[in-house]
């Protein structure tokens, strides 16, 4: 709709102008017809623009081509964002239908409109745009804010699901579909084994975008979330290898066993190479931020630039870009966070969230738009069996793998968790883009149709029903409480204790390696990557400071309600003498003073608080006295008394 | 090897250890000493006790069948662990300087994972060493050096100082300790008792955190 509006408005204006200025209206109509035939994005430039120019000097002129591409992109993003606002305005819908489904519906409607107005297939999401522009922000956001402790605690399980599980799915689905193709009834004889396996490899992968958007809203417990999510991110390495492997097989005349071995070797190369590139860029980024003390403004830029570079470098070498960007984000986070200012930290956080949100929305809308059109060949048996096999093989894979996991891990995965993991295996835009990248062969449209149906089924059906299922099965949800310093101390305490016991018993378990890594970090890495005088402090200390800051600001804001803690009492602590407190000093000054005090005396907040409260209470007394004459105004009296009561009730 | 093993692990002791710790034996122990009676095939795939036993003997440089504090301190990683000394002390029972294999196993048995089938059995018998409550008691005893069943501010300060490192001043550390006690303390005695300790940890999955799989 916005697209049509975007075209209509300038054209209407143009019509108006030409009428006003006497140029013929016909050339404008001609312009309009040519534009209408052009369904594709920003491709053909209309040459007739020159013919519109007349002998007179125009007061207004219209030059749509000049701004066409950025204009249309902005309009699409605007549409996506307005749709998002729209959903959240009606409160009832987002609780039942996840956002991703709604966005797909919007996309479907848009696609339908364009198709009906243009009578041509609407634009299909370009795979390059998806992989180079839309996917990286989402993965970066996921990697940067990944909780590293549960991730590394469960890394064995995650890797098992990601690598072995994806391969299991790919070969399972491919082979069973080949079996279906052998049935004469379905008229599918010409789909070869290689093509089936190729299709299996791209449909097997669980998609991080879809998983993120659905799981974000259902708040399952942390371990389950990290298992599904980590798997969806790391299986990219396997998908890349399998896809490229089958692609090269399809181009080779014959396949030898050497090629298969090369494929397996390639897998290790892709995964480890991706991690290596990510770590390299992460370390360089951390090192760069060491020197940015004087130019704080561009600090956030480095984070984004280096991550994007790591992604592009990995893609350049045909390694796994997603693994690279995750490794980069996770490795640089710790050091960058210690080096950059608080404001840069906030900037990075919000920019990342914004970009990933926009990308996410655009992907789902395009998915909906691309569904409509002539790109599909609807062979219903094949499609239905694809959906069925996807579900069956995923369930089997999770069952078998979990059996092995529970044997050698303390952290068991319960039956309920297994069900959610299997059910949460959503497919999304990655499969879609990959299927469009397939070379043209006779049955490509069949694959496109099958992929579309699988994606729509998983996102819509599974996405909508997973929340009631989570409630029904009573899966443990994420705890709502905020962290406390005592808990953090105890967690660190357990780390050391377990590391010690593992050392004594000679067992090289997870705590042993974590301890070794920490030692390496403190001895070498921190000295290089952190600023000289800002050596990293323990997580206990950081958490304490964060909580104290929050607490003190809450307290100061409560103080603001009373309206007049005078500047004198605070300045007295600074050692400056001031005159009689005025009844209404500016609040902003006070807030600034308090913030200053907090910044320099964070550890004294605990002891300052009682004094601050006492001073605030003294001032309420003085305010009361000075307003004695208006004590008859019961409103002022009662409001002062309630604020005073609120202050005293504030947790000190 | 055979004779030494027989002085350390007579079959009655083995039975005791098995009952106390709940661990199971592998077949290899049967071969190491002819003093042992024939064990039935405890068809286990892991020979955990054998493994720990060989670790015990490798630590035992004096070859006298017991470990002293110096033997533990010889482990390099333990020397840089902030809680190293306290953990070592936990192995030695009250006032003694030597620990034999039975005592070694006894302490390590606290870290055995809790099995599902154990959770409901034998309510009347003695509580197994690796129950949640015993695990928590073990951790509490590491904090509480003077054994008065309370973690006072000073004891907390000592632990914090070891864990947090050197670049925090005493005053700041004191503030952190104050906040910790304030968060956990419910009966207002400015110290953390065992029940309050348990309460702080109710969100943390202690059974999984304090378990090492190999002791299964």
């Amino acid at each position: 709709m916005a697209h049509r509006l975007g075209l209509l408005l300038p054209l209407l204006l143009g019509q108006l102008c030409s009428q006003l200025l006497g140029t013929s209206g016909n050339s404008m109509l001609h312009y309009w017809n040519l534009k209408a035939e052009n369904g594709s994005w920003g491709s053909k430039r209309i040459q007739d623009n020159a013919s519109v120019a007349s002998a007179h000097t125009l007061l207004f002129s219209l030059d749509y081509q000049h701004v066409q591409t950025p204009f249309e992109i902005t309009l699409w993003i605007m549409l996506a964002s307005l749709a998002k606002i729209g959903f959240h305005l009606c409160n009832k819908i987002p609780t039942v239908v996840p956002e991703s489904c709604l966005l797909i519906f919007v996309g479907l409607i848009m696609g339908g409109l364009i198709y009906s107005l243009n009578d041509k297939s609407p634009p299909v999401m370009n795979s390059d745009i998806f992989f180079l522009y839309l996917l990286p922000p989402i993965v970066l956001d996921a990697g940067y804010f990944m909780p590293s402790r549960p991730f590394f605690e469960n890394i064995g399980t995650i890797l098992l699901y990601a690598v072995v599980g994806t391969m299991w799915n790919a070969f399972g689905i491919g082979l069973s579909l080949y079996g279906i193709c052998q049935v004469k009834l379905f008229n599918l004889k010409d789909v070869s084994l290689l093509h089936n396996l190729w299709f299996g490899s791209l449909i097997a992968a669980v998609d991080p975008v879809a998983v993120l958007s659905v799981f974000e809203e259902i708040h399952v417990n942390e371990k389950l979330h990290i298992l599904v999510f980590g798997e969806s991110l790391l299986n990219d390495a396997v998908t890349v290898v399998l896809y490229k492997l089958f692609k090269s097989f399809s181009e080779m005349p014959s396949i030898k066993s050497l090629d298969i071995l090369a494929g397996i070797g390639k897998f290790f190369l892709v995964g480890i190479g991706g991690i290596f590139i990510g770590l390299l860029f992460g370390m360089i980024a951390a090192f760069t931020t060491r020197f940015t003390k004087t130019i704080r403004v561009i600090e956030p830029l480095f984070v984004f630039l280096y991550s994007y570079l790591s992604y592009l470098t990995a893609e350049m070498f045909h390694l796994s870009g997603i693994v690279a960007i995750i490794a980069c984000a996770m490795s640089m986070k710790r050091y960058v966070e210690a080096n950059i200012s608080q404001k840069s930290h906030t900037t990075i956080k919000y920019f990342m969230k914004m970009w990933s949100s926009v990308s996410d929305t655009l992907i789902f809308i395009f998915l909906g738009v691309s569904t409509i059109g002539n790109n599909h060949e609807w062979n219903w048996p094949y499609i239905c069996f694809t959906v069925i096999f996807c579900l069956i093989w995923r369930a089997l894979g999770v069952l078998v793998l979990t059996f092995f996991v529970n044997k050698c891990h303390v952290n068991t995965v319960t039956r309920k968790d297994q069900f959610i993991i299997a059910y949460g295996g959503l497919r999304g835009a990655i499969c879609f883009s990959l299927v469009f990248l397939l070379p043209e062969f006779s049955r490509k449209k069949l694959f496109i149709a099958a992929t579309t149906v699988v994606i729509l089924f998983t996102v819509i059906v599974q996405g909508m029903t997973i929340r009631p299922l989570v409630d029904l099965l009573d899966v443990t949800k994420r705890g709502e409480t905020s962290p406390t310093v005592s808990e953090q101390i105890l967690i660190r305490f357990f780390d050391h204790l377990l590391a010690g016991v593992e050392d004594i018993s000679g067992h090289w378990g997870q705590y042993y390696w974590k301890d070794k890594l920490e030692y390496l970090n403190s001895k070498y890495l921190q000295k290089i990557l952190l600023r000289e005088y800002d050596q990293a402090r323990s997580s206990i200390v950081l958490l304490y400071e964060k909580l104290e800051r929050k607490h003190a600001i809450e307290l100061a804001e409560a103080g603001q309600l009373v309206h007049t803690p005078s500047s004198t009492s605070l300045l007295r602590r600074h050692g400056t003498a001031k005159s009689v407190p005025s009844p209404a000093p500016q609040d902003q000054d006070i807030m600034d003073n308090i913030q200053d005090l907090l910044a320099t005396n964070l550890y004294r907040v605990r002891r300052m608080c009682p004094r601050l409260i006492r001073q605030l209470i003294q001032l309420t007394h003085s305010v009361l006295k000075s307003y004695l004459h208006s004590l008859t105004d019961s409103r002022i009296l009662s409001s002062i008394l309630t604020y005073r009561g609120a202050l005293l009730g504030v947790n000190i | 090897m055979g004779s030494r093993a027989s002085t350390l692990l007579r079959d009655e002791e083995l039975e005791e250890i098995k009952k106390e710790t709940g661990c199971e034996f592998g077949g290899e122990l049967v071969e190491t000493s002819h003093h042992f009676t024939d064990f039935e095939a405890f068809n286990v795939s892991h020979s955990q006790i054998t493994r720990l036993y060989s670790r015990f003997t490798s630590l035992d440089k004096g070859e006298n069948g017991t470990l002293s504090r110096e033997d533990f301190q010889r482990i390099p990683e333990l020397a840089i662990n902030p809680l190293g000394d306290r953990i070592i002390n936990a192995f030695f029972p009250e006032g003694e300087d030597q620990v034999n294999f039975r005592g070694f196993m006894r302490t390590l048995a606290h870290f055995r994972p809790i099995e599902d089938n154990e959770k409901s059995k034998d309510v009347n018998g003695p509580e197994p060493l690796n129950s949640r409550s015993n695990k928590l008691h073990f951790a509490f005893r590491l904090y509480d050096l003077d054994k008065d069943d309370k973690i006072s501010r000073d004891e907390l300060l000592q632990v914090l100082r070891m864990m947090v490192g050197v670049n925090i001043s005493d005053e700041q550390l004191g503030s952190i300790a104050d906040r910790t006690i304030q968060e956990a303390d419910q009966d207002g005695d400015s110290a953390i008792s065992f029940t309050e300790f348990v309460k702080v940890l109710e969100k943390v999955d202690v059974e999984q955190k304090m378990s090492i799989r190999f002791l299964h």
Side-chain angles (χ1 to χ4, degrees):
Chain A
M1 228 9 155
H3 173 70
R4 300 322 277 187
L5 272 176
L7 284 177
L8 279 170
L9 269 164
L11 285 161
L12 279 174
L13 276 174
Q15 282 272 31
L16 218 58
C17 303
S18 64
Q19 302 259 332
L20 275 172
L21 299 165
T23 52
S24 76
N26 285 336
S27 43
M28 278 303 190
L29 275 173
H30 184 46
Y31 176 104
W32 163 262
N33 282 332
L34 280 169
K35 195 75 187 108
E37 278 173 55
N38 248 348
S40 53
W41 300 121
S43 47
K44 301 184 197 140
R45 294 274 180 243
I46 295 174
Q47 309 300 323
D48 289 321
N49 207 21
S51 66
V52 178
S54 71
H56 309 283
T57 325
L58 297 171
L59 219 55
F60 301 111
S61 56
L62 178 73
D63 189 2
Y64 187 60
Q65 276 79 36
H66 188 59
V67 296
Q68 182 173 14
T69 317
F71 200 88
E72 282 173 359
I73 294 175
T74 315
L75 282 176
W76 273 105
I77 299 181
M78 182 74 81
L79 167 73
S81 316
L82 289 174
K84 252 186 139 83
I85 296 182
F87 302 147
H88 288 282
L89 279 181
C90 27
N91 292 329
K92 204 123 191 278
I93 297 187
T95 49
V96 176
V97 184
E99 216 172 86
S100 40
C101 300
L102 289 170
L103 289 169
I104 291 187
F105 283 136
V106 169
L108 282 170
I109 297 173
M110 281 287 308
L113 274 173
I114 296 180
Y115 188 66
S116 55
L117 284 172
N118 255 348
D119 207 25
K120 235 186 196 221
S121 297
V124 160
M125 176 156 61
N126 190 343
S127 296
D128 269 344
I129 293 182
F130 173 72
F131 278 115
L132 291 179
Y133 300 113
L134 290 178
L135 188 62
I138 300 180
V139 183
L140 177 61
D141 179 38
Y144 200 79
F145 293 109
M146 176 96 76
S148 48
R149 181 178 281 264
F151 183 72
F152 285 113
E153 272 177 17
N154 292 303
I155 189 84
T157 322
I158 292 177
L159 277 175
L160 196 68
Y161 284 139
V163 175
V164 180
T166 311
M167 283 205 274
W168 168 282
N169 278 334
F171 283 106
I173 295 175
L175 288 171
S176 18
L177 281 175
Y178 181 62
I180 294 294
C181 288
Q182 303 305 91
V183 177
K184 287 204 189 66
L185 192 61
F186 299 140
N187 193 20
L188 289 166
K189 252 314 175 93
D190 57 336
V191 188
S192 68
L193 175 65
L194 184 66
H195 283 136
N196 273 314
L197 282 175
W198 203 352
F199 179 64
S201 74
L202 63 89
I203 200 86
V206 178
D207 187 75
V209 179
V211 163
L212 188 61
S213 66
V214 168
F215 269 72
E216 216 168 41
E217 299 173 3
I218 58 178
H219 299 302
V220 287
N221 63 43
E222 203 173 43
K223 184 181 94 180
L224 190 53
H225 185 235
I226 205 82
L227 280 177
V228 186
F229 190 52
E231 181 203 341
S232 68
L233 285 172
L234 293 183
N235 65 16
D236 179 61
V238 182
T239 312
V240 162
V241 171
L242 282 177
Y243 187 84
K244 295 216 158 72
L245 196 69
F246 288 126
K247 180 171 182 184
S248 57
F249 280 175
S250 76
E251 288 159 9
M252 287 189 323
S254 67
I255 302 169
K256 303 188 198 63
S257 55
L258 197 63
D259 300 316
I260 299 185
L261 280 177
I264 297 179
K266 193 142 198 285
F267 160 69
F268 285 106
L269 181 69
V270 163
I272 297 179
I275 295 179
F276 177 69
I277 289 186
L279 285 176
L280 184 70
F281 276 100
M283 294 293 121
I284 298 179
F287 189 64
T288 314
T289 52
R290 185 179 164 175
F291 302 107
T292 57
K293 188 152 166 92
T294 43
I295 25 168
R296 295 283 191 188
V297 196
I298 59 173
E299 270 173 349
L301 197 60
F302 284 119
V303 171
F304 295 116
L305 286 178
Y306 279 111
S307 324
Y308 196 44
L309 269 179
S310 72
Y311 181 79
L312 292 175
T313 314
E315 288 287 318
M316 179 169 72
F317 288 115
H318 287 303
L319 304 172
S320 169
I322 292 186
V323 171
I325 209 175
I326 300 250
C328 180
M330 288 182 89
S331 60
M332 90 173 138
K333 176 168 185 184
R334 201 168 164 175
Y335 305 105
V336 162
E337 294 287 305
N339 280 337
I340 62 177
S341 68
Q342 184 68 16
K343 286 187 188 155
S344 301
H345 171 78
T346 315
T347 312
I348 291 178
K349 180 171 162 189
Y350 280 104
F351 254 92
M352 252 191 227
K353 296 280 176 202
M354 180 185 81
W355 258 326
S356 75
S357 174
V358 167
S359 269
D360 187 75
T361 320
L362 277 176
I363 288 176
F364 282 114
I365 289 192
F366 272 132
L367 214 55
V369 169
S370 312
T371 314
I372 312 281
N374 294 332
N375 286 323
H376 307 284
E377 175 193 333
W378 302 99
N379 183 322
W380 287 106
Y382 193 80
I383 294 177
C384 292
F385 275 109
T386 310
V387 176
I388 295 174
F389 285 137
C390 280
L391 289 171
I392 294 179
W393 283 102
R394 172 123 184 117
L396 276 177
V398 169
L399 266 173
V400 170
L401 287 175
T402 317
F403 176 71
F404 284 112
V405 165
N406 283 346
K407 271 198 164 245
C408 42
H409 240 253
V410 182
N411 235 348
T412 53
V413 183
T414 64
R415 284 245 178 263
K416 285 188 216 161
D417 290 345
Q418 286 174 38
F419 179 75
I420 298 289
I421 293 175
Y423 201 69
L426 305 177
R427 275 50 168 196
I430 292 187
C431 318
F432 198 70
S433 313
L434 283 176
V435 86
F436 272 100
L437 280 176
L438 284 174
E440 290 295 335
F441 61 94
S442 58
R443 288 295 194 152
K444 181 173 169 182
K445 292 197 173 179
L446 173 65
F447 288 152
I448 294 179
T451 313
T452 314
V453 172
V454 169
I455 295 177
L456 288 179
F457 180 83
T458 52
V459 176
I460 295 179
V461 173
Q462 282 178 241
M464 271 208 268
T465 52
I466 201 168
R467 195 199 298 240
L469 273 173
V470 162
D471 290 332
L472 194 72
L473 289 175
D474 198 26
V475 177
T476 11
K477 298 250 182 108
R478 193 177 302 166
E480 294 296 329
T481 49
S482 49
T484 58
V485 179
S486 41
E487 203 181 304
Q488 181 71 11
I489 293 181
L490 281 167
I491 291 176
R492 292 290 309 282
F493 176 80
F494 280 131
D495 278 347
H496 290 301
L497 173 62
L498 267 289
V501 173
E502 280 187 1
D503 288 330
I504 291 180
S505 55
H507 174 68
W508 285 5
Q510 93 191 41
Y511 289 99
Y512 176 79
W513 290 116
K514 194 199 288 198
D515 210 40
K516 270 240 175 323
L517 211 60
E518 281 297 325
Y519 178 68
L520 200 81
N521 176 41
S522 57
K523 215 158 183 229
Y524 303 110
L525 286 176
Q526 275 185 358
K527 297 213 169 67
I528 305 175
L529 297 175
L530 291 180
R531 264 193 293 263
E532 298 265 328
Y533 42 87
D534 251 349
Q535 288 300 309
R537 290 163 297 172
S538 148
S539 62
I540 298 174
V541 174
L542 291 173
L543 181 66
Y544 172 76
E545 284 183 359
K546 178 169 146 206
L547 290 175
E548 283 293 303
R549 215 178 273 136
K550 201 163 72 164
H551 176 88
I553 290 178
E554 280 169 19
L555 216 54
E557 279 176 358
Q560 201 176 21
L561 286 176
V562 179
H563 238 298
T564 58
S566 89
S567 35
T568 355
S569 49
L570 293 161
L571 287 171
R572 218 174 282 143
R573 296 201 92 243
H574 272 304
T576 357
K578 262 289 176 121
S579 51
V580 178
S582 49
Q586 292 138 10
D587 295 321
Q588 195 45 46
D589 270 348
I590 305 308
M591 279 307 290
D592 286 343
N593 278 330
I594 294 181
Q595 303 271 22
D596 270 332
L597 271 175
L598 288 176
T600 48
N601 296 318
L602 197 58
Y603 288 97
R604 295 200 208 130
V605 168
R606 302 236 124 234
R607 275 170 244 156
M608 184 176 97
C609 282
R611 225 175 299 174
L612 182 62
I613 294 300
R614 255 179 269 134
Q615 283 160 353
L616 291 172
I617 295 175
Q618 281 167 13
L619 280 147
T620 49
H621 279 300
S622 58
V623 165
L624 272 175
K625 270 189 236 155
S626 60
Y627 282 134
L628 250 173
H629 62 280
S630 55
L631 270 181
T632 48
D633 187 352
S634 53
R635 272 184 300 140
I636 297 183
L637 178 62
S638 58
S639 61
I640 292 178
L641 285 175
T642 32
Y643 289 142
R644 212 180 126 222
L647 260 191
L648 288 171
V650 165
N651 188 24
I652 301 181
Chain B
M1 178 65 184
S3 54
R4 196 155 66 97
S6 64
T7 50
L8 291 167
L9 278 181
R10 292 187 307 279
D11 34 0
E12 307 93 70
E13 273 213 46
L14 269 170
E15 272 300 311
E16 281 293 304
I17 294 178
K18 178 172 178 295
K19 224 186 304 174
E20 214 178 301
T21 63
C23 293
E24 293 176 329
F25 299 98
E28 282 96 271
L29 266 179
V30 183
E31 279 100 56
T32 50
S33 166
H34 55 273
H35 278 258
F36 297 161
T37 54
D38 240 30
F39 286 106
E40 281 168 335
F42 292 104
N43 43 318
V44 267
S45 46
H46 317 285
S47 48
Q48 299 305 337
I49 295 236
T50 319
R51 183 160 158 215
L52 287 171
Y53 184 72
S54 60
R55 175 73 177 167
F56 182 84
T57 45
S58 70
L59 285 176
D60 184 13
K61 295 286 190 288
E63 294 209 356
N64 52 354
T66 58
L67 293 178
S68 65
R69 284 197 170 78
E70 289 75 36
D71 289 322
F72 280 107
Q73 277 154 0
R74 235 176 266 127
I75 306 174
E77 293 89 7
L78 210 55
I80 46 174
N81 191 322
L83 298 177
D85 284 330
R86 295 188 183 217
I87 300 174
I88 296 174
N89 280 331
F91 276 87
F92 293 91
E94 201 64 46
E96 289 185 23
D97 276 336
Q98 304 284 334
V99 59
N100 60 7
F101 183 62
R102 181 171 170 179
F104 187 71
M105 278 301 299
R106 194 165 200 281
T107 317
L108 285 180
H110 282 101
F111 292 91
R112 201 162 70 83
I114 298 180
E115 295 303 304
D116 279 329
N117 55 354
E118 279 181 17
K119 282 197 184 131
S120 44
K121 92 173 174 189
D122 204 12
V123 195
N124 300 323
E127 206 177 348
L129 275 173
N130 64 337
S131 69
R132 184 192 164 96
S133 161
N134 274 326
K135 285 185 202 276
L136 287 170
H137 268 293
F138 184 81
F140 191 76
R141 279 197 294 269
L142 285 181
Y143 263 103
D144 183 23
L145 289 178
D146 56 0
K147 303 209 192 317
D148 61 349
D149 274 338
K150 276 198 211 302
I151 304 176
S152 67
R153 186 172 182 273
D154 289 323
E155 287 166 347
L156 190 58
L157 267 177
Q158 283 176 38
V159 175
L160 270 178
R161 170 57 69 193
M162 288 188 301
M163 290 206 290
V164 159
V166 292
N167 46 353
I168 302 288
S169 74
D170 281 331
E171 189 192 343
Q172 294 169 340
L173 213 61
S175 293
I176 298 179
D178 284 332
R179 189 188 172 109
T180 311
I181 293 187
Q182 190 202 51
E183 277 171 358
D185 192 20
Q186 279 154 357
D187 53 7
D189 58 352
S190 300
I192 303 179
S193 69
F194 183 66
T195 31
E196 289 158 0
F197 185 76
V198 171
K199 184 128 204 316
V200 173
L201 286 173
E202 63 184 5
K203 273 185 294 168
V204 175
D205 193 356
V206 179
E207 286 100 335
Q208 283 188 356
K209 260 207 149 9
M210 264 187 81
S211 302
I212 301 182
R213 192 74 189 185
F214 77 92
L215 279 172
H216 171 45

